[in-house]
Amino acid sequence: MLQKAVLITSTLLATARAQQVGTYTAETHPSLTWQTCTSANECTTVDGSVVIDANWRWIHSVNSSTNCYTGNTWDATLCPDDESCAVNCAVEGAAYSSTYGVTTSGSELRINYVTQNSNGANVGARLYLLKDESTYETFSLLGNEFTFDVDVANLPCGLNGALYFTQMQADGGLSEYTNNKAGAKYGVGYCDSQCPRDLKFIDGEGNAEDWEPSSTDSNTGVGGHGNCCAEMDIWEANSISYATTAHPCSSLGQTECDGDDCGGTYSAERYAGVCDPDGCDFNPYRLGNTSFYGPGSDFTVNTDDTITVVTQFITDTGSTSGTLSAIKRFFVQNGKVIAQANSETTGISGNEITAAYCEAENSVFDGAGEFSAKGGLSQMSAALAEGMVLVLSLWDDDYASMLWLDSDYPTNETASTPGVARGSCSTSSGVPATIRQQDASSYVTFSNIKFGAINSTFTAS
Ligand SMILES: *[C@@H]1O[C@H](CO)[C@@H](O)[C@H](O)[C@H]1NC(C)=O
Ligand SMILES: *[C@@H]1O[C@H](CO)[C@@H](O)[C@H](O)[C@H]1NC(C)=O
Ligand SMILES: *[C@@H]1O[C@H](CO)[C@@H](O)[C@H](O)[C@H]1NC(C)=O
Ligand SMILES: *[C@@H]1O[C@H](CO)[C@@H](O)[C@H](O)[C@H]1NC(C)=O
């Protein structure tokens, strides 16, 4: 997927410290409960919390409120090079609700789309589940299932309320990199399969060298480095479409990359990197079932109502030590368990992600072959086996207006070409500059996160 950080607009000056740590605003993580389950209704509540990614935060001089980064440019004095940037700059604590529009209550997290604040406007957020103050929770998904409730009713075309896993370091790189004093407590260390180059800090250094401010977004840019790691997109969705996508990387763990060799969305050479930026995806609309998911009671899964999303990581042995053989999906709505729709596309069969499904999808949809080139389902399995960090986000898409999720894409191909139609949104929808105005009050809620043995986290009623 195309995950990018959309920041606070231009002059964010009020409260923060980077790779070092700021002292203007105390970092208080919103609490979020979730559950681990061993068998149906045998669940234990865990007291967790969430942390917002460092990219959203105010970054300023370690000694003053002078910005290290303003709008979409770095201060040349504080950040003459990547190494001194990390020494000179601090990431600040976050006022979650007032600045970023992020709130929690019990087991529910809400992320608002546009939040007006004293510095301008914040757009979306990317959050990680914490185990304690300074450590991300890591999940071992193999042979287990992961379930959550989601409300997508207020997510129109162009928005993406995402729940996914990436192979970030559990401490955000705090122990490995001397100049990283912030770590997981401040949401440092993000990586994904696009090898994002909009990150402000990677591996204990700034990303100021070769930074090109975005021409379309006044808050973001692309730096000389990116950060790659495997990504398992359980859920990328709005009220029109959803996709579940596995993105393996040929390397395991988090890996810094250089310039266009990073590949992915931010680089001139999409397939130059170690990760598969396209992934093997399952979107029922794209697979020919246009009435499975959408707003209203005519759809099998009605996005006007809360949806329970169950994802099972089935292994060849049936145990947690096996190798990934299928990613299976159920929905629960109004007490009814609903199996994921089968593919209706000739040449692609089934309702789950398997090695055979991914091969067929790549061939029928004329894919680039990157999934298998980067190790396929077995490499995804290897990444899952090492444990992954839970990411919850709401974002819009400067690169492709989210058309790859909810419209016809690529836009130069006819909609009847297999794989092009992905949802009912217009090809002119989803432009961030437009929807930040028109759909500013959009939001997503995630709640009732449960993790445990196969079939332990949901029941029909
Ligand atoms: C901050 O203050 C310390 C101590 O005076 C000094 O060594 C350092 O260079 C200063 N850093 C910046 C970025 O001003
Ligand atoms: C879509 O999926 C639902 C649920 O599996 C099924 O009942 C329906 O017949 C499918 N529709 C089409 C057009 O394939
Ligand atoms: C659409 O654009 C892509 C990328 O430029 C190109 O490879 C493809 O051939 C084009 N398709 C059509 C139908 O023109
Ligand atoms: C889980 O439940 C499904 C649907 O009821 C069933 O087909 C499957 O065998 C169960 N799996 C296990 C491991 O109990």
Side-chain angles (χ1 to χ4, degrees), residues 124-137:
R126 185 166 65 220
L127 301 142
Y128 311 114
L129 185 67
L130 287 167
K131 179 166 84 176
D132 57 43
E133 268 271 281
S134 52
T135 320
Y136 299 128
E137 187 67 59

Side-chain angles (χ1 to χ4, degrees), residues 410 412-414:
N412 66 338
E413 304 275 348
T414 52

Side-chain angles (χ1 to χ4, degrees), residues 90-115:
V91 259
E92 191 54 60
Y96 281 83
S97 172
S98 59
T99 302
Y100 301 105
V102 170
T103 51
T104 60
S105 171
S107 78
E108 180 174 293
L109 166 71
R110 172 169 166 154
I111 311 174
N112 289 346
Y113 179 34
V114 178
T115 303

Side-chain angles (χ1 to χ4, degrees), residues 289 291-292 300 341 344:
N289 191 325
S291 63
F292 183 66
T300 311
E344 299 293 333

